[in-house]
Amino acid sequence: MDSMTVVGTSLAVRGGAAKARGEARFAADVQLPGMAVARLLTSPHAHAEIVSIDTRRAEAMPGVFAVITRADVPTVDAADLSTRTHAFLARRFAVFAGQPVAAVAARDIATAEEALRAVEVVYRVLPAVLGIEAALRPDAAAVSRESAKPAADAAEANVASRIEIRGGDTDVAFAQADVVLEGSYRVPMFHQGYLEPHAVVAHWDRPDHVDVWACVQSPFGARGLIVDALGIPSHSVTLHTTEIGGAFGGKDTGLFSPLAVLLAKKACRPVRLALTRQDDMTGANPSPQVEARIRLAATRDGQLAAIEGVVRVNVGAHRGSAAPDVCFMILHKYRFPAYRLEAIDVATNTVSFGAYRAPQALQAAFVIESMLDDLARKLEMDPLELRERNLIREGEASVTGRTIPRHGGLAVLRAMRDHAIWQDTPSREDDATGMLRGRGAALGLWGSGAFPASAIARLEQGGFVRFVIGQVDLTGSYTSLAQIAAETLGVPADRVLMTKGDTDTAPYASVSGGSSTIYSMGAAVRDAAADLREKILEKAATELGAQRDDVSFDNGEVYVRAHPERRCTLARLYDLETDLFAATGAPHVARGSVGSMSLRESAPCFAGALAEVTVDPKTGQVRVCRLVAVQDVGKAINPRLVEGQMQGAVAQATGAALWEGIEYDAEGHIANPDFLDYRMPTSADVPSIETVFLEEPGGDGPYGAKGVGEPPVIAPAAAIANAVADAIGRRITELPITPERVWLACNGESAGT
Amino acid sequence: MGTAIRLTVNTKRAELEVEPHVTLLEVLRDELGLTGTKEGCGSGECGACTVLLDGDPVCSCLVLAVEAANREVVTIEGLAVGGELHPVQRAFAENGGFQCGFCAPGMILAAVALLRRSPHPTEAEIRAALVGNLCRCTGYDKAVRAVQIAAEEVARG
């Protein structure tokens, strides 16, 4: 692999010029003749029974083409109204403030908004279940569920699931431990913060067929959602993908497509539903709220002995489970001889959660990496040394019983230890200004998504090679996929064409997410390229009158090794393939397909972070001075794109650490449904983010690549929390680490409990 | 019952009849088909709808169309001259200055305005100039570098 010429180079991103010119087409940019625009009427109540909805006044307004409510939703067998898929419009109950109750399609936004005000909804307000603690009280009201399945235990009506994850004897381990630590941690919901609100355009071009353009990470998943929600056959829906203005897990299958599809049907014209920022902030799918109460036992020399505790996750008003994931990710990096964690998913009258970049891993890392730092301080040990001592190694059994494969965890820890931030002991107090300075480290672990994926490839006129895939081009993934194709085929990258298929024309692909695109789709593209290369060599050998084994392929041409002047170009092969009278055989459709997680190894991806902060003890203000991301990427297919993923993830995690968090008021309304109050990092908030990537072998990825997109978001929030603890000598146990919490901690009050 | 207005958009004159509540953003996207200007929040918090109004970067979602009467608007579509990318556009596209590209039109125009008033900005000045343009993908590092690269290219001429 030393001779690689395309993989490992920082080619400029495909489609970059179109984006820079404003020509790239996002879902809301799709313009169709006669198109109406839509707005949503959402529930103002966190919990209410909808007594009646009167749309007559709205429907009579000039310029209003359609109003839809629960009455317009087709009856679907097997519809489960406890899922977001089926509860895209509220039926009997509204179960969170912001849930769509009606939708309007009109000639313009002003008319649509006026029509919303004319829809008369009578609610019978029910007691809202708000907050994990309140939901679990024995006398708590129950979140209304419209599924057939009643709660297993009426006394725990809001417990969506409860499981225990255990191994070893924790009682003995705690009894014999030299050191025991405990802590309670809280992490709020975070919005993914994509700049483009959810958008979808739907157009019924025939009575039994609808074209849909949606900003989704999974075209096939998005089609599946429409098919399931509306009970129509899959051939009635063609899902066209567009550019996506950021997703980070929040646009997996798209939540709002069924609304646009129904509106377009009723309005008899194309409809564009582009959410307002407020509707997106209140009604999409943020990450879940997490609380953990954990005890940790260790020996004097820094061996972890046991961990126990309870993790409670607010999953919102619809079905979902996240608490077990948090528990597994508290456990998965380190060796725990004994563990017992209870995972409780709690239903409340808040918006249900979705995926957000390495779902639940940031929260789990905040818990365990905070605790390891406190343990290191207690044992007067270097925190990275403590992590190294307890890092789970290749060949050991994981919590899930799987044998840990080869990984780069140790290399990441050592690169962090060798970094200047760790080597230069920071002064705890800066005399000149009275600022407190601290440094922190944390480690994260994620898997490379081994998801089902397939690609097809074929020769094109002029000697180009076209790959058709059913995945979107998320932040440069097509560029990296083309590099893999070019490297495998042995052609320059500019001979590779990437075509984004729709759900009618592309072979199946799973979601662009889960750090799977390069690991899984990259492997499918590699296999399709290898298949095509083999066929090219075979056909060219026939054309050149040589044996298959006597020809080689170089720079887009096949030649006979013994007679290099005997050559055949790809352009010629295309002409032969498509010639009615040529003997070189049928046009070849090359294929590559890879299977699921159960069939393929998911390479572990370790990613660490180092942070240096200053804290103003007078104001509680935290300033991040330096941030370093250290990651084992396996093989960087395009180093600039890898670096961009790492830097972006670190900035997102910095927001989670210091500023972000969805806040609910006492009535269950989101108090900060806009970018002014939901404070994401700006260019002035984050320093230049340094990246260190390691290329450790392991896994099944193309050219050794591992998942890249999610791992770097896991550790930085914990690293910043550890740096703040280092600076002020107190531990903040709740995100975000606001000036108020820091000030209270600095001034002797306990914060975050 | 619209108001007749005239304005210049990307050097072309436009005559429109607009309702008084309609924003410049809506006119650009829905009337003139210039969808390069994006709507991220509709309330001036994200900067995705940034255009140049008489040379100054403004959030077009906060400008009423009638306020733009008799003024000159430059959108992202008007930046490349004769098919040639503006140096800021090229620097962003070639150096990872954006990823998803949704913030790109606004951020590029904010950077163009900065370089017009301050051809050799420091990093702090660049970061201050882009503070109203949220980006969720890049962590800003490569956007800042792109502005620096563009500044050098403009200086070279």
Coordinates of all heavy atoms in Angstrom, one line a residue, chain A residues 9 30 47 81 154 262 289 326 328 352 371 409 447 512 518 549 551 595 650 664:
Chain A
T9 N -4.4 11.4 -0.1 CA -4.1 12.8 -0.6 C -5.3 13.7 -0.3 O -6.5 13.2 -0.3 CB -3.9 12.8 -2.1 OG1 -5.0 12.3 -2.8 CG2 -2.6 12.0 -2.4
V30 N -35.7 23.4 -3.9 CA -36.4 22.7 -5.0 C -37.6 23.6 -5.3 O -38.4 23.9 -4.4 CB -36.8 21.3 -4.6 CG1 -37.7 20.7 -5.7 CG2 -35.6 20.4 -4.3
H47 N -49.1 18.3 27.3 CA -49.9 17.1 27.5 C -51.4 17.6 27.4 O -51.8 18.3 28.3 CB -49.6 16.4 28.8 CG -50.1 15.0 28.8 ND1 -50.0 14.2 30.0 CD2 -50.5 14.2 27.8 CE1 -50.4 13.0 29.7 NE2 -50.7 12.9 28.4
L81 N -49.0 4.1 17.5 CA -49.0 5.6 17.8 C -48.1 6.0 18.9 O -47.9 7.2 19.2 CB -50.4 6.1 18.1 CG -51.3 6.0 16.8 CD1 -52.7 6.4 17.2 CD2 -50.8 6.8 15.7
A154 N -48.5 -0.5 36.5 CA -49.2 0.7 36.6 C -48.5 1.7 37.5 O -48.5 2.9 37.3 CB -50.6 0.5 37.0
L262 N -48.9 14.2 2.5 CA -50.4 14.3 2.7 C -50.9 15.7 2.2 O -52.0 15.7 1.6 CB -50.8 14.1 4.2 CG -50.9 12.7 4.7 CD1 -51.4 12.8 6.2 CD2 -51.9 11.9 3.9
Q289 N -32.0 13.6 27.4 CA -31.4 14.1 28.7 C -31.0 12.9 29.6 O -31.7 11.9 29.6 CB -32.6 14.8 29.4 CG -32.2 15.4 30.8 CD -33.5 15.7 31.6 OE1 -34.6 15.5 31.1 NE2 -33.3 16.3 32.7
V326 N -26.0 4.2 27.2 CA -25.2 5.0 28.1 C -24.4 4.1 29.0 O -23.2 4.3 29.2 CB -26.0 6.0 28.9 CG1 -25.1 6.8 29.9 CG2 -26.8 7.0 28.0
F328 N -23.5 0.9 28.6 CA -22.5 0.2 27.9 C -21.3 1.1 27.6 O -20.2 0.7 27.7 CB -23.0 -0.4 26.6 CG -23.8 -1.7 26.8 CD1 -25.2 -1.8 26.4 CD2 -23.2 -2.8 27.3 CE1 -25.9 -2.9 26.6 CE2 -23.9 -4.0 27.5 CZ -25.3 -4.0 27.2
S352 N -39.4 13.6 21.7 CA -38.6 12.3 21.8 C -37.2 12.6 21.2 O -37.0 13.6 20.4 CB -39.3 11.2 21.0 OG -39.4 11.6 19.6
M371 N -15.1 10.9 36.4 CA -14.8 10.0 37.6 C -13.3 9.5 37.6 O -12.7 9.5 38.6 CB -15.7 8.8 37.6 CG -17.2 9.2 37.9 SD -18.2 7.9 38.5 CE -18.0 8.0 40.2
G409 N -6.1 2.2 21.0 CA -6.4 3.0 22.2 C -5.1 3.4 22.9 O -5.0 4.6 23.4
G447 N -17.4 2.8 17.5 CA -17.2 1.8 16.5 C -17.3 2.3 15.1 O -17.9 3.4 14.8
S512 N -26.2 7.4 5.8 CA -24.9 8.0 5.9 C -24.8 8.5 7.4 O -25.3 9.6 7.7 CB -24.9 9.3 5.0 OG -24.9 8.9 3.7
I518 N -17.5 5.6 5.0 CA -16.2 5.1 4.4 C -16.0 3.6 4.8 O -15.6 2.8 3.9 CB -15.0 6.0 4.9 CG1 -15.2 7.4 4.4 CG2 -13.7 5.4 4.4 CD1 -15.5 7.6 3.0
D549 N -3.7 -13.0 -17.5 CA -2.5 -12.8 -16.6 C -1.4 -12.1 -17.2 O -0.4 -11.7 -16.5 CB -2.1 -14.2 -16.0 CG -3.1 -14.8 -15.1 OD1 -4.0 -14.0 -14.6 OD2 -3.1 -16.0 -14.9
V551 N -1.6 -9.2 -18.8 CA -1.9 -7.7 -19.0 C -1.9 -7.0 -17.7 O -2.2 -7.6 -16.6 CB -3.2 -7.5 -19.8 CG1 -3.2 -8.0 -21.2 CG2 -4.4 -8.0 -19.0
G595 N -22.1 -6.6 4.1 CA -23.2 -6.9 5.0 C -23.2 -6.1 6.3 O -22.5 -5.1 6.4
V650 N -15.0 18.7 17.5 CA -14.5 19.3 18.8 C -15.3 20.6 19.1 O -15.6 20.8 20.3 CB -13.0 19.5 18.7 CG1 -12.5 20.3 19.9 CG2 -12.2 18.2 18.6
Y664 N -36.3 23.6 29.6 CA -37.8 23.5 29.6 C -38.3 24.4 30.7 O -37.6 24.5 31.8 CB -38.3 22.1 29.8 CG -38.3 21.3 28.6 CD1 -37.2 20.6 28.2 CD2 -39.4 21.3 27.8 CE1 -37.2 19.8 27.0 CE2 -39.5 20.5 26.6 CZ -38.4 19.8 26.2 OH -38.4 19.1 25.1

